[in-house]
Amino acid sequence: MSIQYPIDLHIHSTVSDGLETPAELYARARREGITALALCDHDTVAGVKVMQDVIRTDQQQNPDSPPLRYLPSIELSTGDGGHAHLLGYGVDVDDPRLLETLDTMQQDRVDRCKRILCLLRKQGIRLCCHVEEELLRPGTGRAHIARALMEAGVVNTMQQAFDRYLARGKSAYIARRYMPIAEGVRLLTAAGATVVLAHPSRLNPDPQGLRALTEELMQAGLAGLEAFHPSANRQQGPWIDGIARSLGLLVTGGSDYHGDLNCCTRMGRMPSGWQDPEGDLQKLLARMAAR
Ligand SMILES: [Zn+2]
Ligand SMILES: [Zn+2]
C-alpha cells in the first residue's frame, strides 16, 4: 500500500526527464503539503540553482509561509547499463571534476539520441524535424524519445516504446557505457555529497545480494539506502530499511515523481512502512552538515 508523506527526497524536473519545471514542482510541493524536497535530476545539477532561486523569490514574496527544506541533489546513473542510480544529497554543484564528468555523460546522451533516431528512421519511423531537434538537446534520454513516440501516435504508451524499440535488445537500442557503481559513489562523495543508493530493490531484489553489494559500496563511501520508493513492494521497503539500519546507514524515501500523467507516481507518495521520515531526514541533514 502507498501512502502520502510530507517528505519527498527524490523527484525530477524538465532539467532531466521530468515534465514539470522546478517552479511548477515547487508550487506543487506547496499545494500538497510537502515540507522537505530533493530535486534529483538525472546526471545533471543544472536545476539545483534554478530551484534555489524559485524558493528564494517565493520566500521574499511570502515571508510568513513556513520554509520548505530543500536538498540540492543529483541522481547519477552508474553500473551495467546505467541501471544503478546514486542519489547525491548536498552535492557541490560547482565541483570541477563532477561537472567535467557530467558534461561527458551529457555529450554521450546526445550522441546516443542521434543514433537511436537514425535506427528509428531506418525502420520508417520519422519524427517531426522540430521534435528531433528538441531530442538532441543536452539532458534528453530514452524517456524523452519514448514520450515523443507516444505523442506522435507511433505507440500508445511510453512503456510500449521501450518494449518495442528502446529497451535493451530491441530494434532501436543503443548501449551506453557507464562508470562502475563504486566509482560513482567516490565521485559524488568527493563532490561533498552524502550518497544513497536509489531504489535498491530494482537493482537487486535478493536481500543477501543487496546486503553484500551495500557492504561493498560502503567501502567507497555509500551512506544510505532509499528504502521507500514506489518500486519496492510491501515486503521490500521494510527489509531494505532493516539492512540499512543494521549497517548503520541512513534511510531515505522518495516518490521518483516525473509528472507523467499516465504513470501512477505522485509527489510524496511512497510505500507505507516508513516509521520516522522526519527523524531519518534529520540524520541525513546532520550528515550533510558534517561534510
Ligand atoms: Zn532512478
Ligand atoms: Zn529518479
Side-chain angles (χ1 to χ4, degrees):
M1 192 180 71
S2 291
I3 60 167
Q4 194 70 18
Y5 293 91
I7 288 169
D8 195 333
L9 302 177
H10 185 166
I11 62 165
H12 295 273
S13 79
T14 45
V15 173
S16 63
D17 59 351
L19 285 181
E20 294 175 10
T21 62
E24 287 165 341
L25 289 168
Y26 178 72
R28 179 179 294 283
R30 282 300 195 198
R31 275 200 310 277
E32 308 211 345
I34 301 289
T35 61
L37 191 70
L39 177 65
C40 305
D41 276 311
H42 295 284
D43 306 326
T44 175
V45 288
V48 167
K49 286 182 181 170
V50 180
M51 185 64 109
Q52 277 164 341
D53 286 344
V54 168
I55 295 174
R56 198 173 306 118
T57 305
D58 180 66
Q59 282 172 353
Q60 280 162 359
Q61 289 168 351
N62 304 292
D64 296 332
S65 60
L68 181 134
R69 291 162 298 173
Y70 171 60
L71 291 74
S73 318
I74 185 173
E75 183 171 25
L76 187 71
S77 310
T78 66
D80 184 28
H83 295 310
H85 292 179
L86 300 171
L87 301 166
Y89 294 109
V91 64
D92 173 4
V93 298
D94 297 313
D95 182 84
R97 202 172 134 235
L98 176 67
L99 291 179
E100 200 186 308
T101 307
L102 296 178
D103 256 5
T104 309
M105 290 177 81
Q106 294 296 358
Q107 195 47 53
D108 278 359
R109 268 177 182 263
V110 174
D111 291 346
R112 181 198 213 190
C113 280
K114 256 186 216 161
R115 293 170 63 197
I116 291 174
L117 292 175
C118 188
L119 284 178
L120 287 170
R121 259 185 249 125
K122 282 185 185 158
Q123 294 167 63
I125 299 161
R126 188 173 275 277
L127 296 165
C128 296
C129 294
H130 73 272
V131 174
E132 290 205 353
E133 234 166 72
E134 278 289 300
L135 289 172
L136 296 178
R137 281 187 318 141
T140 53
R142 282 184 301 166
H144 292 91
I145 300 178
R147 210 174 274 143
L149 289 171
M150 185 177 74
E151 284 166 2
V154 177
V155 291
N156 295 322
T157 62
M158 285 174 63
Q159 189 55 49
Q160 215 172 58
F162 277 93
D163 293 344
R164 287 192 191 162
Y165 305 106
L166 304 173
R168 189 192 291 237
K170 302 297 173 184
S171 59
Y173 176 72
I174 297 283
R176 263 183 68 194
R177 286 164 63 94
Y178 294 88
M179 71 187 91
I181 315 175
E183 193 181 318
V185 174
R186 280 192 287 268
L187 175 73
L188 289 176
T189 305
T194 298
V195 185
V196 171
L197 184 64
H199 38 74
S201 60
R202 242 193 228 169
L203 195 61
N204 196 331
D206 162 56
Q208 277 183 341
L210 180 62
R211 192 182 179 93
L213 173 69
T214 303
E215 285 175 330
E216 185 190 319
L217 296 177
M218 283 170 71
Q219 308 287 325
L222 186 76
L225 297 179
E226 186 187 46
F228 297 94
H229 179 275
S231 65
N233 63 31
R234 239 182 16 186
Q235 289 83 32
Q236 286 168 331
W239 69 245
I240 297 169
D241 179 289
I243 291 175
R245 289 183 205 281
S246 69
L247 293 170
L249 292 178
L250 299 165
V251 170
T252 70
S255 67
D256 218 345
Y257 178 72
H258 282 71
D260 291 321
L261 294 175
N262 62 348
C263 176
C264 55
T265 57
R266 192 177 150 191
M267 192 184 285
R269 186 159 277 268
M270 287 160 246
S272 59
W274 194 3
Q275 301 295 330
D276 185 14
E278 182 60 37
D280 288 332
L281 172 67
Q282 289 305 327
K283 287 182 197 159
L284 170 61
L285 293 172
R287 178 73 70 93
M288 286 163 58
R291 297 230 52 223

